[in-house]
Amino acid sequence: MCNNLSVASGSDDCAGSVVASMFTCKGRDIGFCGDLLEPGVYWDSQSWFRMDGYIPREMLGGLLVQFPHQVNWDETVNLTLTGLPQLRADVYFFYNNASIDMWTNYFHLSREDAIYCAEEFSSQLQTRGFEGPSLGPQYDVHSTRWPGHGNESEMWRRRFEFDDSGTVRLSIRTRGTKCFQTAGIVIKGPCTLRLAQSEIKCPSEFPVLLSILVLASLILSFALGAFVCCTLRRRFLGPGPGRGRGPDATWTRKLTPDGMLSSSESEDD
C-alpha cells in the first residue's frame, strides 16, 4: 500500500490545505496515494500506468489524489479544503470514460447497470456545479497490450471559493462493487494535501472465486452425466420400468453367446 499520504505543492502562490478522507479494505494491499501532477507520474496508486499522454496544462503542479486502478468496493471520497475566507481553489475530477458497450461487453453488466456506471460521475459532478466534460489526462497511451485503453479520459472542473469559515467540502461516491471505476482528483491552489484513510471490512473476493469453481464443477458433472447417459442409450436398453433414474437404475443389453452384438442390434443404433 502507498505510504505517500502527505504532499506539498512547492508553489510560492499556494495557500491553505486539503484533506482527502476515504475508506480502504482491511487486509488488502490497496489504497489511495498522494503526489504532484507532473508528466510521467503514475495515474494510479498501484503504480501500474503512467500519465504519458495529454495532460491539461492548467493541472500541472497540482496536488494529485491517486485512486487504485479500479475501485472495487463502495467508496465515498470526501475533500475538506481549509484556508482564509475568499481564497480560491480549482478541483479537477477525471476518469476513464468507458462506453456503455464497454461496460456491457467487457465488464458483463446489464444494460441498466452499464448506463448507471457510464453516467455515475458525470451526473454527480453536474449537480455539484462542475463544468465539463473536456479531455482529461491520458495514461498508458503507448500500450501495445491494451491499445488506447487509457486515452478516453473525461475531466470536469470547478473553482471553489472558501466560505466565511474558510472551508470547502466536497464528496464524490462510487459503487465500486458494480462499476470498477478508474479515476483521480487534482486540487490546484492549496499548499498541502493529506490523505486520511480508514479501514473497513469489504466483501471477500474468495467467495466469488469459489462460486465460479463450484459452477464450473456442476457444469462439468452435468456434461459428463449427459455423455454417459447418451452412451448407455446407444448401447443398452433401459433404464427398466419402475426402476427409476437414480443411482440404482439398471440397464440391460442382449449379447450373443460369444459376447458379440446380437444380429438384431447395430453399432449405428
Side-chain angles (χ1 to χ4, degrees):
M1 182 181 295
C2 170
N3 294 317
N4 194 21
L5 304 181
S6 182
V7 183
S9 72
S11 171
D12 295 333
D13 298 328
C14 66
S17 62
V18 56
V19 175
S21 59
M22 65 282 288
F23 298 108
T24 58
C25 290
K26 188 174 182 179
R28 297 190 199 175
D29 191 24
I30 299 177
F32 292 75
C33 198
D35 210 331
L36 289 179
L37 182 61
E38 299 172 343
V41 72
Y42 283 109
W43 165 295
D44 59 288
S45 63
Q46 295 164 279
S47 301
W48 285 4
F49 304 113
R50 291 187 180 275
M51 295 187 187
D52 56 356
Y54 169 76
I55 299 178
R57 183 177 296 273
E58 64 269 24
M59 299 175 67
L60 292 173
L63 302 167
L64 170 63
V65 180
Q66 295 167 313
F67 286 45
H69 177 58
Q70 291 181 329
V71 180
N72 57 8
W73 63 90
D74 291 348
E75 177 67 81
T76 299
V77 176
N78 298 291
L79 298 181
T80 303
L81 289 73
T82 55
L84 296 174
Q86 315 310 315
L87 281 177
R88 294 180 178 179
D90 292 320
V91 177
Y92 304 86
F93 191 95
F94 51 94
Y95 52 93
N96 190 306
N97 184 28
S99 66
I100 293 177
D101 288 341
M102 181 73 169
W103 289 113
T104 303
N105 299 325
Y106 184 81
F107 292 100
H108 307 293
L109 297 182
S110 67
R111 183 74 176 178
E112 181 181 359
D113 287 345
I115 292 173
Y116 170 82
C117 291
E119 299 176 352
E120 181 179 49
F121 286 141
S122 60
S123 60
Q124 294 180 71
L125 295 167
Q126 288 182 68
T127 60
R128 288 162 174 74
F130 278 72
E131 297 178 353
S134 59
L135 181 62
Q138 299 172 316
Y139 64 89
D140 206 28
V141 299
H142 305 296
S143 173
T144 56
R145 185 175 183 182
W146 300 293
H149 78 121
N151 294 355
E152 302 302 321
S153 177
E154 186 167 287
M155 184 180 77
W156 295 72
R157 169 188 174 180
R158 179 178 172 183
R159 172 163 291 180
F160 288 88
E161 185 172 297
F162 289 65
D163 59 22
D164 292 339
S165 67
T167 304
V168 170
R169 290 185 172 85
L170 172 68
S171 295
I172 301 291
R173 70 181 184 279
T174 178
R175 294 183 63 183
T177 51
K178 176 185 296 185
C179 297
F180 304 102
Q181 298 280 14
T182 300
I185 302 174
V186 166
I187 307 99
K188 196 81 177 285
C191 295
T192 59
L193 164 67
R194 182 172 64 86
L195 275 65
Q197 304 188 72
S198 301
E199 287 191 335
I200 59 173
K201 186 176 182 180
C202 296
S204 173
E205 296 176 336
F206 177 71
V208 176
L209 178 59
L210 182 61
S211 298
I212 293 174
L213 292 176
V214 170
L215 180 60
S217 177
L218 289 174
I219 293 174
L220 181 61
S221 297
F222 177 80
L224 181 60
F227 171 76
V228 172
C229 180
C230 291
T231 302
L232 289 174
R233 285 186 181 279
R234 286 173 56 85
R235 302 300 184 187
F236 290 80
L237 302 175
R243 296 180 182 178
R245 297 181 181 271
D248 296 328
T250 301
W251 296 75
T252 60
R253 181 174 181 177
K254 287 183 178 181
L255 297 176
T256 61
D258 59 1
M260 302 298 291
L261 286 172
S262 65
S263 59
S264 61
E265 292 182 322
S266 170
E267 288 292 332
D268 298 325
D269 285 349

